[in-house]
Amino acid sequence: QLACPLDLGCHSVKYEIDTHNIVVNQLVYKDPSCECKTCDARMKIQHKYLEQIEDLYEDFHVVKLPLLGEEVRGVPALKSFSKLLVEPYVAPGAPSS
């Protein structure tokens, strides 16, 4: 886990890692049916870091993955989860493009 988006660039250069994709995992998305101050606070912090990632790594493919309700275990769950790596996740209630 990286403390801030700048760590990614420093580590990838230091260890000579050729990076074109960035996966941001366990993002909390707003659930319109739920009022949760903790979730709102987490989303606010994540939003700040996502903006930094998008600014710093604009030439990279950034994949945003949601926080799931359960651990990914077993082949069916892995197959379902792997689709999120190639098909953008659309949060419930988000405008479709």
Side-chain angles (χ1 to χ4, degrees):
Q1 183 173 5
L2 300 175
C4 77
L6 287 174
D7 289 348
L8 175 65
C10 296
H11 283 81
S12 61
V13 170
K14 179 179 178 181
Y15 296 109
E16 299 178 13
I17 299 171
D18 186 18
T19 308
H20 300 286
N21 299 290
I22 298 172
V23 177
V24 183
N25 197 13
Q26 299 184 345
L27 292 173
V28 176
Y29 287 92
K30 182 71 176 167
D31 181 349
S33 66
C34 178
E35 290 294 324
C36 173
K37 290 182 182 181
T38 303
C39 296
D40 291 342
R42 175 91 181 254
M43 285 184 295
K44 185 177 178 181
I45 293 167
Q46 289 178 343
H47 181 73
K48 177 182 93 169
Y49 285 124
L50 282 173
E51 284 183 335
Q52 290 178 8
I53 289 169
E54 289 169 0
D55 289 342
L56 292 169
Y57 305 105
E58 63 186 351
D59 296 332
F60 289 72
H61 178 239
V62 178
V63 179
K64 300 171 189 169
L65 301 177
L67 175 65
L68 302 176
E70 56 189 44
E71 187 175 358
V72 179
R73 297 183 66 106
V75 174
L78 275 173
K79 286 183 179 181
S80 177
F81 182 76
S82 68
K83 289 179 185 175
L84 294 172
L85 294 169
V86 293
E87 298 171 8
Y89 175 74
V90 177
S96 57
S97 45

